[in-house]
Amino acid sequence: MSRYLFLVFMLIFYLGACTSDDEECVFQPEVKPVELNFEMLQDSFMHVSSKNSLVNLLTRHPAVRDFMFRRADYPNDSAFVNQLYDRLSNPHFDTLHMEVKRVFGDASDLKGQFQEAFSNLKYYYPDFVPPRIQTIVSGLIDNDLLVTDSLIVISLDYFLGPGAKYRPKMYEYLLRKYDPDDIVPSCLLIYGIGNRFNKTQQSDQTVIADMITYGKAFYFAKHMLPCEPDSVFIWYTPEEINGSRNNEDLIWARFIESQVLFSTNKKVKQDYLGERPVTIQVGEKCPGRIGQWVGHRTDEAKIAAIGVRVRRWVTLH
């Protein structure tokens, strides 16, 4: 362990120069509010009176049909329509629909958050055209979210939060992403990770390159919602955030000891960047996606400089 102490000390020094209080607002520009094209489609699907009317509705909304309801998973149109119509007619679906109304109401809060984010995005990228936004209730069976340059579709029943009668069937650490306030940050992170707003060197498939990409995505999302706490974007509990901060030296030591930063191995990437309850390679209490968190905490120029120094150090030793 002693042979790594100097390098770890150096890393901590660089990290200390670029971290900040997670709860502070970043720069808030003076913006002109953009207009939203926002459609709540769940009532239309809920009140279809026949299979023919369902087909007509799906034909008008092909993205909902093909991606959100996953038409390709069915052997033919008839099987797809019959199954979906039965689902929409199920009494449990009516209960789920009422839950969505209870939590989201007229979606004014959701609309307001999208308008804030897209108004800021328009400030930084004047050519940006806000996508259409559509909401549905899927029955917690199909996809939760579709985000493209021109269209966002949200299955609101996935995002009802801890007090909901029905929740997605997944591990608790994954359910953190499915509260009402997670919808807009999730969309922004998807935008932030893509090449449209995050230019990356596609040929660099190393862990440290991915860390930089994630860090830039978090930076992008944070500036679109300047006063949202960082925990909304990283989905860590307060205990996990504090524990990760307090153990940054250990995290970096593990990265160096295990030669993680310049690895392109898929398993290594999953271990340090992927969804997991814990990053056991660092410690039993270290949360998953720890490489993403380090990228989020560390300025791009700093982490790149660290990478150069690590590469030189490894070469010399």
Side-chain angles (χ1 to χ4, degrees):
M1 178 68 179
S2 59
R3 60 190 297 233
Y4 298 101
L5 289 179
F6 173 76
L7 183 58
V8 171
F9 176 80
M10 179 193 69
L11 296 175
I12 298 168
F13 174 80
Y14 271 90
L15 282 169
C18 60
T19 54
S20 61
D21 186 342
D22 287 340
E23 304 307 316
E24 289 183 354
C25 296
V26 296
F27 172 68
Q28 300 179 70
E30 294 185 9
V31 300
K32 179 180 179 181
V34 298
E35 292 187 9
L36 295 182
N37 184 338
F38 196 104
E39 301 175 90
M40 300 182 72
L41 300 179
Q42 54 266 29
D43 286 342
S44 298
F45 279 96
M46 187 66 197
H47 296 133
V48 289
S49 56
S50 67
K51 293 178 183 178
N52 283 337
S53 62
L54 176 58
V55 170
N56 291 335
L57 183 59
L58 291 168
T59 301
R60 294 197 300 273
H61 302 287
V64 174
R65 177 195 64 206
D66 296 339
F67 184 83
M68 300 303 288
F69 288 130
R70 301 194 300 196
R71 161 63 187 88
D73 289 357
Y74 297 84
N76 52 59
D77 288 343
S78 179
F80 170 65
V81 171
N82 288 338
Q83 194 279 337
L84 183 56
Y85 186 78
D86 289 344
R87 187 196 311 177
L88 296 174
S89 304
N90 189 301
H92 293 293
F93 194 88
D94 183 61
T95 302
L96 192 59
H97 187 259
M98 293 301 295
E99 278 278 277
V100 167
K101 282 193 172 182
R102 177 185 66 81
V103 173
F104 289 97
D106 63 357
S108 57
D109 290 343
L110 182 61
K111 293 175 187 176
Q113 199 173 31
F114 267 119
Q115 186 171 62
E116 177 189 2
F118 288 161
S119 298
N120 287 329
L121 218 168
K122 183 76 172 177
Y123 171 85
Y124 290 107
Y125 298 89
D127 294 335
F128 171 73
V129 177
R132 291 182 297 129
I133 304 167
Q134 298 176 337
T135 64
I136 64 167
V137 175
S138 69
L140 299 174
I141 294 177
D142 299 311
N143 290 317
D144 55 356
L145 195 62
L146 169 67
V147 180
T148 73
D149 289 348
S150 59
L151 177 66
I152 291 175
V153 186
I154 308 148
S155 186
L156 292 178
D157 44 327
Y158 272 88
F159 296 90
L160 291 172
K165 184 174 182 179
Y166 301 110
R167 298 211 72 191
K169 292 182 179 180
M170 58 182 65
Y171 293 113
E172 186 63 32
Y173 73 95
L174 294 174
L175 280 175
R176 297 175 192 169
K177 297 184 178 184
Y178 290 98
D179 291 346
D181 291 339
D182 289 324
I183 294 173
V184 179
S186 294
C187 294
L188 293 174
L189 286 170
I190 292 172
Y191 274 152
I193 207 74
N195 283 330
R196 183 182 181 190
F197 301 111
N198 190 345
K199 301 302 181 184
T200 59
Q201 188 176 344
Q202 297 293 321
S203 59
D204 190 347
Q205 298 295 311
T206 59
V207 170
I208 195 170
D210 287 352
M211 289 166 60
I212 291 171
T213 298
Y214 282 118
K216 290 163 65 181
F218 287 123
Y219 183 88
F220 168 87
K222 176 74 172 179
H223 280 73
M224 299 310 114
L225 293 172
C227 289
E228 285 292 331
D230 286 11
S231 57
V232 171
F233 299 103
I234 195 66
W235 299 297
Y236 280 2
T237 65
E239 293 77 16
E240 287 174 336
I241 289 176
N242 290 333
S244 298
R245 283 178 179 171
N246 294 335
N247 289 283
E248 282 181 315
D249 54 346
L250 174 62
I251 293 167
W252 278 103
R254 292 288 186 266
F255 278 21
I256 304 306
E257 285 180 325
S258 302
Q259 300 182 25
V260 169
L261 295 178
F262 298 103
S263 175
T264 58
N265 183 279
K266 290 183 179 180
K267 184 179 185 307
V268 172
K269 287 191 173 187
Q270 178 59 35
D271 288 344
Y272 288 90
L273 297 165
E275 293 287 2
R276 311 177 73 198
V278 297
T279 305
I280 196 67
Q281 288 78 7
V282 175
E284 293 182 357
K285 294 186 178 181
C286 181
R289 294 180 284 106
I290 195 64
Q292 293 188 34
W293 181 82
V294 172
H296 151 71
R297 287 275 285 172
T298 311
D299 175 82
E300 177 189 2
K302 295 286 187 181
I303 199 170
I306 288 169
V308 170
R309 285 165 173 78
V310 171
R311 191 187 295 275
R312 289 174 180 168
W313 189 91
V314 170
T315 301
L316 295 173
H317 294 78

